[in-house]
């Protein structure tokens, strides 16, 4: 059958579950259990369809709408009793294949036993190449090869289910620790048994190939005696075929071993889970202890002190300032802007600076005179000193100098300032000052 035919007849070979698939399985189970005979009636078919509709809450499929597709490969009319039907051999084989896949019989058998039963070669047990071909030829070992392949497939499925169970145990957080450890140990016992079985089967396989290699070499040594090269070539082909087969077996076994190694990592996850649980319980116990420490009884009931369970702490929010726009172009050259000389502004600034310097020099001169007068005479008549300054300087300068001298005198402990509430006029200006003397 071409692939195009397979695609177009797929629904006929494997009908959808509610369009005949479940019906075939239901008929198979009732025939095997003896509820109906191998030749069933239209009434029995209708009862199974109603049960399927009820169990899966699906609309009832009428027998008249699905029988045409099932008549291709799964159901036939009884030639002698046309109102009765029977399942074809193909229908039995398909359902049994499904059950064998779900309930693989090799799961309960050791791989080593199957390996030794199918591939065992003792020294001097085979004399001729015809006998070797009858036992281990390409055609004669197809069944034995399939048994080993089915064994490995069942082993992968069993370990996959065990691996899934380990994951489920880790996800179930509310389980008791002791019960979890026991279930873990039970699952890992399966991994340990399968690992030992694989190791023993591998040793058996290696021994078989070594014995087969020696037998092939024996046929080769005989070629130099009777020049029967054809026997050696046939034996060599058998060895190559089995070596290729066991190479594929080794690859599958390697994958299974990796799966077993990955399962061992679940022990670390279990340890981390128990550690996290223990830490959580410790924190809860500390919280209970803290609550009891801060609890008091009152008429209203239990009252907590110190604002329990509120916890305050000093913090300051961090404000991250970032530029809204940033120029990443660093290749732009800097430009120097030459400012033209402003002669008028320059003259103004020079005059201002000159005036400040002159004012400071004048003040320094009169302050030095005041200090000298105080040292020589021990007294300064502020009114007379102020009038003397006015004779040479402006009023603003004189006022600033006198203020500086008074401020300087007030900071010295050995110098006193006498002020009388007597106004004395300055002759050169229309002003009057309190009489003030500075003395040592």
């Amino acid at each position: 059958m071409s692939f195009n035919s397979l695609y177009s007849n797929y629904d006929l070979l494997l009908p959808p579950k509610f369009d005949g698939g479940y019906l075939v399985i239901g008929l198979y189970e009732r025939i095997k259990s003896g509820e109906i005979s191998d030749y069933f009636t239209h009434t029995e078919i209708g009862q199974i369809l109603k049960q399927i509709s009820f169990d899966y809450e699906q609309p009832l499929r009428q027998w008249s709408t699905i029988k045409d597709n099932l008549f291709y490969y799964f159901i036939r009319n009884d030639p002698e009793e046309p109102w009765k039907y029977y399942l074809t051999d193909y229908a039995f084989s398909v359902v049994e294949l499904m059950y064998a896949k779900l309930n693989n019989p090799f799961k309960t058998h050791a791989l080593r036993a199957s390996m030794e039963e199918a591939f065992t070669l003792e020294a001097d047990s085979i004399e001729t190449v015809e006998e070797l071909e009858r036992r281990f030829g390409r055609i004669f070992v197809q069944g034995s090869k399939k048994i080993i392949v089915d064994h490995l497939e069942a082993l992968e499925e069993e370990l996959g289910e065990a691996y899934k169970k380990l994951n489920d145990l880790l996800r179930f957080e509310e389980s008791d620790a002791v019960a979890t450890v026991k279930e873990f140990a039970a699952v890992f016992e399966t991994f340990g048994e399968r690992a030992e079985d694989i190791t023993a089967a591998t040793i058996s396989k290696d021994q078989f190939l070594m014995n087969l290699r020696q037998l092939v070499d024996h046929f080769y040594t005989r070629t130099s005696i009777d020049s029967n090269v054809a026997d050696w070539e046939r034996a060599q082909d058998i060895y190559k075929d089995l070596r290729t087969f066991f190479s594929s077996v080794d690859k599958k076994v390697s994958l299974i071993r990796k799966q077993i190694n990955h399962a061992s990592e679940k022990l670390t996850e279990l340890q981390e889970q128990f550690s996290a649980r223990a830490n959580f319980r410790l924190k809860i116990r500390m919280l209970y202890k803290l609550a009891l420490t801060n609890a008091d009884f009152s008429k209203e009931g239990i009252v907590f002190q110190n604002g329990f369970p509120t916890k305050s702490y000093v913090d300051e929010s961090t404000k991250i300032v970032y530029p809204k726009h940033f120029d990443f172009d660093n290749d732009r050259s800097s430009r120097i802007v030459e400012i033209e000389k402003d002669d008028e502004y320059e003259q103004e600034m020079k005059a201002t600076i000159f005036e400040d310097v002159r004012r400071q020099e004048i003040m320094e001169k009169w302050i030095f005179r005041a200090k000298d007068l105080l040292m020589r005479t021990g007294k300064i008549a502020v009114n007379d000193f102020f009038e003397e300054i006015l004779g040479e300087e402006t009023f603003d300068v004189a006022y600033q100098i006198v203020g500086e001298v008074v401020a300087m005198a007030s900071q010295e402990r050995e110098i006193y300032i006498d002020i009388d509430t007597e106004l004395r006029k300055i002759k050169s200006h229309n002003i009057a000052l309190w009489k003030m003397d500075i003395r040592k």
Side-chain angles (χ1 to χ4, degrees):
M1 180 181 293
S2 65
F3 285 109
N4 291 333
S5 299
L6 178 60
Y7 287 128
S8 60
N9 292 283
Y10 181 84
D11 289 339
L12 301 178
L13 293 167
L14 294 173
K17 54 186 180 182
F18 295 115
D19 289 335
Y22 281 177
L23 173 61
V24 173
I25 296 175
L27 291 169
Y28 172 89
E29 290 179 341
R30 283 165 174 77
I31 291 173
K32 288 295 184 179
S33 64
E35 295 181 27
I36 62 176
S37 64
D38 293 341
Y39 295 89
F40 43 87
T41 64
H42 177 271
T43 302
E44 292 168 330
I45 292 175
Q47 293 174 350
I48 296 175
L49 290 174
K50 288 181 181 179
Q51 187 65 40
I52 293 172
S53 176
F54 176 78
D55 291 341
Y56 297 97
E57 299 180 354
Q58 291 290 325
L60 180 63
R61 299 297 198 276
Q62 297 296 326
W63 168 243
S64 59
T65 60
I66 63 176
K67 66 178 183 178
D68 291 339
N69 289 340
L70 295 179
F71 277 165
Y72 276 95
Y73 300 109
F74 288 89
I75 296 178
R76 295 282 189 273
N77 282 109
D78 185 0
E80 297 181 357
E81 298 177 292
W83 61 89
K84 287 188 177 182
Y85 309 91
Y86 67 93
L87 290 179
T88 63
D89 293 336
Y90 174 73
F92 277 96
S93 63
V94 169
V95 178
E96 288 173 354
L97 179 64
M98 295 177 183
Y99 277 108
K101 182 64 178 176
L102 296 176
N103 303 299
N104 198 317
F106 291 105
K107 289 183 179 180
T108 57
H109 291 78
L111 176 62
R112 176 185 180 181
S114 298
M115 187 77 74
E116 292 178 349
E117 182 178 353
F119 298 99
T120 300
L121 181 62
E122 298 178 356
D124 301 330
S125 61
I126 296 178
E127 296 292 337
T128 64
V129 70
E130 288 79 9
E131 186 178 356
L132 175 64
E133 192 166 22
R134 282 196 303 271
R135 289 190 57 184
F136 302 108
R138 187 186 300 271
I139 298 177
F140 297 95
V141 293
Q142 291 302 318
S144 300
K145 289 180 179 179
K146 188 177 185 307
I147 291 175
I148 301 302
V149 171
D150 291 343
H151 251 296
L152 295 175
E153 185 177 358
L155 190 57
E156 288 179 344
E157 293 174 359
E158 183 182 12
L159 295 181
E161 293 173 359
Y163 193 84
K164 181 177 180 298
K165 187 173 182 181
L166 292 179
N167 287 329
D168 293 339
L169 289 173
L170 290 174
R171 294 191 188 101
F172 192 59
E173 298 181 355
E174 300 300 327
S175 61
D176 180 65
V178 177
T180 303
V181 171
K182 287 183 178 179
E183 292 186 32
F184 248 74
V187 176
F188 265 95
E189 184 178 357
T190 300
F191 282 101
E193 292 174 354
R194 297 301 174 261
E196 293 179 0
D197 185 27
I198 290 173
T199 302
T202 302
I203 295 174
S204 175
K205 177 264 299 181
D206 293 340
Q207 183 64 42
F208 168 77
L209 287 178
M210 184 176 65
N211 293 339
L212 182 60
R213 176 76 263 180
Q214 292 177 353
L215 181 60
V216 173
D217 292 341
H218 173 68
F219 283 112
Y220 178 76
T221 57
R222 288 170 54 181
T223 58
S224 60
I225 301 175
D226 53 12
S227 301
N228 192 355
V229 180
D231 289 350
W232 173 77
E233 291 178 347
R234 290 165 62 186
Q236 182 74 3
D237 291 338
I238 293 172
Y239 175 75
K240 290 180 179 179
D241 174 64
L242 291 175
R243 187 180 61 182
T244 302
F245 168 71
F246 282 116
S247 295
S248 65
V249 170
D250 289 338
K251 292 180 180 179
K252 294 180 180 180
V253 169
S254 177
L255 295 176
I256 293 174
R257 289 185 184 277
K258 289 181 180 180
Q259 191 174 11
I260 295 175
N261 293 334
H262 288 163
S264 63
E265 298 175 0
K266 296 300 175 183
L267 285 175
T268 304
E269 294 184 24
L270 181 64
Q271 181 182 3
E272 293 175 354
Q273 187 181 93
F274 285 162
S275 177
R277 289 185 187 180
N279 184 58
F280 177 74
R281 291 191 180 97
L282 180 62
K283 297 297 183 183
I284 293 296
R285 184 176 298 176
M286 293 173 63
L287 179 62
Y288 286 161
K289 183 178 180 181
L290 181 62
L292 291 174
T293 304
N294 291 272
D296 285 333
F297 289 100
S298 66
K299 295 181 179 180
E300 292 78 12
I302 299 177
V303 178
F304 291 101
Q305 302 174 354
N306 304 323
F308 181 86
T310 305
K311 180 180 180 182
S312 301
Y313 59 94
V314 179
D315 68 332
E316 181 180 356
S317 60
T318 303
K319 184 178 181 181
I320 300 176
V321 181
Y322 61 93
K324 187 175 182 180
H325 301 285
F326 187 83
D327 186 7
F328 291 94
D329 187 7
N330 297 323
D331 297 334
R332 187 180 301 171
S333 59
S334 301
R335 295 179 60 187
I336 300 176
V337 179
E338 296 183 1
I339 301 176
E340 296 181 0
K341 185 178 181 181
D342 190 343
D343 295 334
E344 183 178 356
Y345 177 76
E346 182 181 359
Q347 293 301 324
E348 291 179 358
M349 291 296 103
K350 284 183 178 181
T352 302
I353 295 171
F354 177 77
E355 183 64 25
D356 291 340
V357 172
R358 191 184 71 82
R359 181 186 292 269
Q360 292 175 7
E361 290 177 351
I362 292 171
M363 290 182 63
E364 186 69 23
K365 181 185 73 172
W366 286 103
I367 291 173
F368 179 78
R369 176 173 170 74
K371 290 180 179 181
D372 180 65
L373 184 61
L374 186 62
M375 291 293 295
R376 285 187 294 103
T377 62
K379 180 181 177 182
I380 299 175
V382 177
N383 301 71
D384 297 338
F385 187 66
F386 185 67
E387 189 172 1
E388 182 182 358
I389 297 172
L390 285 175
E392 299 182 12
E393 308 296 340
T394 63
F395 177 80
D396 293 338
V397 174
Y399 182 79
Q400 188 175 1
I401 292 172
V402 172
E404 192 74 24
V405 171
V406 173
M408 180 183 63
S410 64
Q411 294 178 0
E412 298 292 335
R413 294 184 178 181
E414 298 179 356
I415 298 176
Y416 302 93
I417 301 175
D418 296 332
I419 302 175
D420 296 335
T421 56
E422 178 186 350
L423 289 175
R424 299 188 63 179
K425 292 185 179 181
I426 303 299
K427 298 178 181 179
S428 57
H429 291 74
N430 188 20
I431 59 175
L433 300 175
W434 296 110
K435 181 182 178 182
M436 183 184 302
D437 294 329
I438 300 175
R439 60 182 178 82
K440 294 184 66 175

Coordinates of all heavy atoms in Angstrom, one line a residue, residues 350-386:
K350 N 38.2 99.2 34.9 CA 39.5 99.7 35.5 C 39.3 100.9 36.4 O 39.9 101.0 37.5 CB 40.4 100.1 34.4 CG 41.0 99.0 33.6 CD 42.0 99.5 32.6 CE 42.7 98.3 31.8 NZ 43.6 98.8 30.8
A351 N 38.3 101.8 36.1 CA 38.0 102.9 37.0 C 37.4 102.4 38.3 O 37.8 103.0 39.3 CB 37.1 103.9 36.2
T352 N 36.5 101.4 38.2 CA 35.9 100.9 39.4 C 36.9 100.3 40.3 O 37.0 100.5 41.5 CB 34.8 99.9 39.0 OG1 33.8 100.5 38.2 CG2 34.1 99.4 40.2
I353 N 37.8 99.5 39.7 CA 38.9 98.8 40.5 C 39.8 99.8 41.1 O 40.2 99.7 42.3 CB 39.6 97.8 39.6 CG1 38.7 96.7 39.1 CG2 40.8 97.3 40.3 CD1 39.3 95.8 38.1
F354 N 40.2 100.9 40.3 CA 41.1 101.9 40.8 C 40.5 102.6 42.0 O 41.1 102.9 43.0 CB 41.4 102.9 39.7 CG 42.3 104.0 40.1 CD1 43.7 103.8 40.3 CD2 41.7 105.3 40.3 CE1 44.4 104.9 40.7 CE2 42.5 106.3 40.7 CZ 43.9 106.1 40.9
E355 N 39.1 102.9 41.9 CA 38.4 103.6 42.9 C 38.4 102.8 44.2 O 38.6 103.3 45.3 CB 37.0 104.0 42.5 CG 36.2 104.8 43.5 CD 36.8 106.2 43.7 OE1 37.5 106.7 42.9 OE2 36.6 106.7 44.8
D356 N 38.2 101.5 44.0 CA 38.1 100.6 45.2 C 39.5 100.5 45.9 O 39.6 100.5 47.1 CB 37.7 99.2 44.8 CG 36.2 99.2 44.4 OD1 35.5 100.1 44.8 OD2 35.8 98.2 43.7
V357 N 40.5 100.4 45.0 CA 41.9 100.3 45.6 C 42.3 101.6 46.3 O 42.8 101.6 47.4 CB 42.9 100.0 44.5 CG1 44.3 100.1 45.0 CG2 42.7 98.6 43.9
R358 N 41.9 102.8 45.7 CA 42.2 104.1 46.3 C 41.4 104.2 47.6 O 42.0 104.7 48.6 CB 41.8 105.2 45.3 CG 42.3 106.6 45.8 CD 41.8 107.6 44.8 NE 40.4 107.8 45.0 CZ 39.9 108.6 46.0 NH1 40.6 109.2 46.8 NH2 38.6 108.8 46.1
R359 N 40.2 103.8 47.7 CA 39.4 103.9 48.9 C 40.0 103.0 50.0 O 40.1 103.4 51.2 CB 38.0 103.4 48.6 CG 37.0 103.5 49.8 CD 35.7 102.9 49.5 NE 35.0 103.7 48.5 CZ 34.1 104.6 48.8 NH1 33.8 104.9 50.1 NH2 33.5 105.3 47.9
Q360 N 40.5 101.8 49.6 CA 41.1 100.9 50.6 C 42.4 101.5 51.1 O 42.7 101.4 52.3 CB 41.4 99.5 50.0 CG 40.1 98.7 49.7 CD 40.4 97.4 49.0 OE1 41.6 97.1 48.9 NE2 39.4 96.7 48.6
E361 N 43.2 102.2 50.2 CA 44.4 102.8 50.7 C 44.1 104.0 51.6 O 44.8 104.2 52.6 CB 45.2 103.3 49.4 CG 45.8 102.2 48.6 CD 46.4 102.7 47.3 OE1 46.3 104.0 47.1 OE2 47.1 102.0 46.6
I362 N 43.1 104.8 51.3 CA 42.7 105.9 52.2 C 42.3 105.4 53.5 O 42.7 105.9 54.6 CB 41.6 106.7 51.5 CG1 42.1 107.5 50.3 CG2 41.0 107.8 52.5 CD1 41.1 108.1 49.4
M363 N 41.4 104.3 53.5 CA 41.0 103.8 54.8 C 42.2 103.3 55.6 O 42.2 103.4 56.8 CB 39.9 102.7 54.6 CG 38.6 103.2 54.0 SD 37.4 101.9 53.8 CE 37.2 101.3 55.5
E364 N 43.1 102.6 54.9 CA 44.2 102.0 55.6 C 45.1 103.1 56.2 O 45.6 103.0 57.4 CB 45.1 101.2 54.6 CG 46.2 100.4 55.3 CD 45.7 99.3 56.2 OE1 44.6 98.8 56.0 OE2 46.5 98.9 57.0
K365 N 45.2 104.3 55.5 CA 46.0 105.4 56.0 C 45.4 106.0 57.3 O 46.0 106.2 58.3 CB 46.1 106.5 54.9 CG 47.0 107.7 55.4 CD 46.9 108.7 54.3 CE 45.5 109.4 54.3 NZ 45.5 110.6 53.4
W366 N 44.1 106.3 57.3 CA 43.4 106.9 58.4 C 43.3 105.9 59.6 O 43.4 106.3 60.8 CB 42.0 107.4 58.1 CG 42.1 108.6 57.2 CD1 41.9 108.7 55.9 CD2 42.3 109.9 57.7 NE1 42.0 110.0 55.4 CE2 42.3 110.8 56.6 CE3 42.6 110.5 58.9 CZ2 42.6 112.2 56.7 CZ3 42.8 111.9 59.0 CH2 42.8 112.7 57.9
I367 N 43.1 104.6 59.3 CA 43.1 103.6 60.4 C 44.5 103.5 61.1 O 44.6 103.4 62.3 CB 42.6 102.2 59.9 CG1 41.1 102.3 59.5 CG2 42.8 101.1 60.9 CD1 40.6 101.0 58.8
F368 N 45.5 103.5 60.3 CA 46.9 103.5 60.8 C 47.1 104.8 61.7 O 47.7 104.7 62.8 CB 47.9 103.5 59.7 CG 49.3 103.5 60.2 CD1 49.9 102.4 60.7 CD2 50.0 104.7 60.1 CE1 51.2 102.5 61.2 CE2 51.3 104.8 60.6 CZ 52.0 103.6 61.1
R369 N 46.6 106.0 61.2 CA 46.7 107.2 62.0 C 45.9 107.1 63.3 O 46.4 107.6 64.4 CB 46.1 108.4 61.2 CG 46.1 109.7 61.9 CD 45.7 110.8 61.0 NE 45.5 112.1 61.8 CZ 46.5 112.8 62.4 NH1 47.8 112.4 62.2 NH2 46.2 113.9 63.0
A370 N 44.7 106.5 63.3 CA 44.0 106.3 64.5 C 44.7 105.4 65.5 O 44.8 105.7 66.7 CB 42.6 105.7 64.2
K371 N 45.3 104.3 65.1 CA 46.1 103.5 65.9 C 47.3 104.2 66.5 O 47.6 104.0 67.7 CB 46.5 102.2 65.2 CG 45.4 101.3 64.8 CD 46.0 100.1 64.0 CE 44.9 99.1 63.7 NZ 45.4 97.9 62.9
D372 N 48.0 105.0 65.7 CA 49.1 105.7 66.2 C 48.7 106.8 67.2 O 49.4 106.9 68.2 CB 49.8 106.4 65.0 CG 51.1 107.2 65.4 OD1 52.0 106.5 65.9 OD2 51.0 108.4 65.3
L373 N 47.6 107.5 67.0 CA 47.1 108.4 67.9 C 46.8 107.8 69.3 O 47.0 108.3 70.3 CB 45.9 109.2 67.3 CG 45.3 110.3 68.1 CD1 46.4 111.4 68.3 CD2 44.1 110.9 67.5
L374 N 46.1 106.6 69.2 CA 45.8 105.9 70.4 C 47.0 105.4 71.2 O 47.0 105.5 72.4 CB 44.8 104.7 70.1 CG 44.2 104.0 71.2 CD1 43.3 104.9 72.1 CD2 43.4 102.8 70.7
M375 N 48.0 105.1 70.5 CA 49.2 104.6 71.1 C 50.0 105.7 71.8 O 50.6 105.6 72.9 CB 50.1 103.9 70.1 CG 49.6 102.5 69.6 SD 49.5 101.3 70.9 CE 51.2 101.1 71.2
R376 N 50.0 106.9 71.1 CA 50.8 108.0 71.6 C 50.1 108.7 72.7 O 50.6 109.1 73.8 CB 51.2 109.0 70.5 CG 52.2 108.4 69.6 CD 52.7 109.5 68.5 NE 51.6 109.8 67.6 CZ 50.9 111.0 67.7 NH1 51.2 111.8 68.7 NH2 50.0 111.3 66.8
T377 N 48.8 109.0 72.5 CA 48.0 109.8 73.5 C 47.1 109.0 74.4 O 46.7 109.5 75.4 CB 47.2 110.9 72.8 OG1 46.2 110.2 72.0 CG2 48.0 111.7 71.8
G378 N 46.8 107.8 74.0 CA 45.9 106.9 74.8 C 44.5 107.3 74.6 O 43.6 106.8 75.4
K379 N 44.2 108.2 73.7 CA 42.8 108.7 73.5 C 42.6 109.2 72.1 O 43.5 109.8 71.5 CB 42.5 109.8 74.5 CG 41.1 110.3 74.5 CD 40.9 111.4 75.5 CE 39.5 112.0 75.4 NZ 39.3 113.2 76.4
I380 N 41.3 108.9 71.7 CA 40.9 109.4 70.4 C 39.6 110.1 70.6 O 38.6 109.5 71.0 CB 40.8 108.3 69.3 CG1 42.1 107.6 69.1 CG2 40.2 108.9 68.0 CD1 42.0 106.4 68.1
A381 N 39.5 111.4 70.3 CA 38.2 112.1 70.3 C 37.6 111.9 68.9 O 38.0 112.4 67.9 CB 38.4 113.6 70.5
V382 N 36.6 111.0 68.9 CA 36.0 110.6 67.7 C 35.4 111.8 66.9 O 35.5 111.9 65.7 CB 34.9 109.5 67.9 CG1 34.2 109.1 66.6 CG2 35.5 108.3 68.6
N383 N 34.8 112.8 67.6 CA 34.2 113.9 66.9 C 35.3 114.7 66.2 O 35.1 115.1 65.0 CB 33.5 114.8 67.9 CG 32.4 114.1 68.7 OD1 32.7 113.2 69.5 ND2 31.1 114.4 68.4
D384 N 36.4 115.0 66.9 CA 37.5 115.7 66.2 C 38.1 114.9 65.1 O 38.5 115.5 64.1 CB 38.6 116.1 67.3 CG 38.0 117.0 68.4 OD1 37.0 117.7 68.1 OD2 38.6 117.0 69.5
F385 N 38.3 113.6 65.3 CA 38.9 112.7 64.3 C 38.0 112.7 63.0 O 38.5 112.8 61.9 CB 39.1 111.3 64.9 CG 39.8 110.4 64.0 CD1 41.2 110.6 63.6 CD2 39.2 109.3 63.4 CE1 41.8 109.8 62.8 CE2 39.9 108.4 62.6 CZ 41.2 108.7 62.3
F386 N 36.7 112.7 63.2 CA 35.7 112.6 62.1 C 35.8 114.0 61.3 O 35.8 114.0 60.1 CB 34.3 112.4 62.7 CG 33.3 112.2 61.6 CD1 33.3 111.1 60.7 CD2 32.3 113.2 61.4 CE1 32.3 111.0 59.8 CE2 31.3 113.1 60.4 CZ 31.3 112.0 59.6

